[in-house]
Amino acid sequence: TQLLEQSPQFLSIQEGENLTVYCNSSSVFSSLQWYRQEPGEGPVLLVTVVTGGEVKKLKRLTFQFGDARKDSSLHITAAQPGDTGLYLCAGATSNTGKLIFGQGTTLQVKP
Amino acid sequence: GAVVSQHPSWVICKSGTSVKIECRSLDFQATTMFWYRQFPKQSLMLMATSNEGSKATYEQGVEKDKFLINHASLTLSTLTVTSAHPEDSSFYICSARKDGRVEQYFGPGTRLTVT
């Protein structure tokens, strides 16, 4: 069974601080997606990483896929209250198209 | 674009009745759609994979006779919760995948409350 361990599960920080969220697995994924979800809404796709070692930037968010495609990280620089939400990593299995989701990280950024 | 809609956004029903939730891909065709359930402050739990023109594939522990899935066209999948009970109250979210792509695009979710 493929599992994605996401950490930390909860994070409360002050505006302007930096943070990193991690997703780790013993399995190799063909790709990994990061989503952000606000209460009462569906997840919104932030990025897809496919190549081992790949780094993608989305404004203040930096996403990295591990060389072995087993782990990924999301780094937020100078967090803003608008970054508050549930962040989910999801690894794609190769044939079925199903996503394996991490447990999620609830981020609260206080002004 | 990749817009997915769900209807209704919320529904309250009485125990024993059935509820149908629709999931539509508005600007792309989706051979495959997925249905998830989410409990408060938790991650998404995959219930089933909906395949256009064929039977859905259910995850272990999900009752296929209780959660009926129909994927009649390339843009519409429906989930019917039959004989609903209070324990079925949850946030149900669908997603759709563009053919040949790995990303899933999610609908806004449906809050089901069974009284």
Side-chain angles (χ1 to χ4, degrees):
Chain A
T1 304
Q2 292 177 297
L3 293 174
L4 260 179
E5 296 290 332
Q6 190 171 342
S7 64
Q9 292 191 31
F10 300 97
L11 197 53
S12 181
I13 61 173
Q14 293 295 134
E15 181 176 0
E17 293 183 3
N18 302 331
L19 67 115
T20 302
V21 178
Y22 300 92
C23 269
N24 296 292
S25 177
S26 57
S27 303
V28 175
F29 292 100
S30 58
S31 69
L32 196 139
Q33 285 100 58
W34 285 91
Y35 293 85
R36 178 169 166 265
Q37 184 183 23
E38 298 201 32
E41 299 181 11
V44 174
L45 179 66
L46 296 175
V47 77
T48 301
V49 285
V50 179
T51 306
E54 184 175 7
V55 176
K56 282 191 174 179
K57 291 192 175 184
L58 186 65
K59 296 183 179 179
R60 294 176 292 100
L61 278 60
T62 302
F63 305 86
Q64 186 163 8
F65 202 13
D67 291 340
R69 290 185 289 135
K70 294 181 180 181
D71 55 88
S72 182
S73 64
L74 157 61
H75 182 79
I76 301 180
T77 304
Q80 303 293 312
D83 296 327
T84 293
L86 176 66
Y87 289 82
L88 296 159
C89 62
T93 55
S94 56
N95 295 324
T96 65
K98 293 195 293 187
L99 292 179
I100 307 297
F101 277 87
Q103 300 95 323
T105 296
T106 299
L107 171 64
Q108 180 186 42
V109 183
K110 301 175 186 175
Chain B
V3 182
V4 177
S5 69
Q6 268 182 255
H7 179 80
S9 55
W10 61 270
V11 57
I12 302 172
C13 70
K14 292 188 176 180
S15 188
T17 61
S18 296
V19 173
K20 180 185 285 188
I21 302 170
E22 291 186 350
C23 178
R24 292 181 186 273
S25 55
L26 298 184
D27 52 1
F28 66 100
Q29 293 183 333
T31 303
T32 306
M33 293 184 175
F34 302 87
W35 286 96
Y36 295 85
R37 187 172 177 176
Q38 186 177 35
F39 293 101
K41 298 191 183 297
Q42 293 189 23
S43 188
L44 279 67
M45 182 184 77
L46 179 65
M47 298 175 66
T49 302
S50 173
N51 304 296
E52 188 269 335
S54 64
K55 292 183 179 180
T57 304
Y58 290 82
E59 295 299 300
Q60 192 172 6
V62 177
E63 298 177 59
K64 65 174 86 174
D65 294 330
K66 181 168 186 61
F67 298 99
L68 300 178
I69 292 171
N70 183 271
H71 194 152
S73 78
L74 287 172
T75 59
L76 173 63
S77 176
T78 60
L79 168 69
T80 301
V81 183
T82 63
S83 187
H85 291 286
E87 56 265 32
D88 298 324
S89 298
S90 192
F91 193 51
Y92 292 88
I93 312 177
C94 72
S95 71
R97 186 170 64 102
K98 294 182 179 180
D99 292 347
R101 304 285 302 178
V102 296
E103 297 89 352
Q104 292 183 21
Y105 298 93
F106 287 83
T110 297
R111 171 73 56 193
L112 170 63
T113 302
V114 184
T115 62

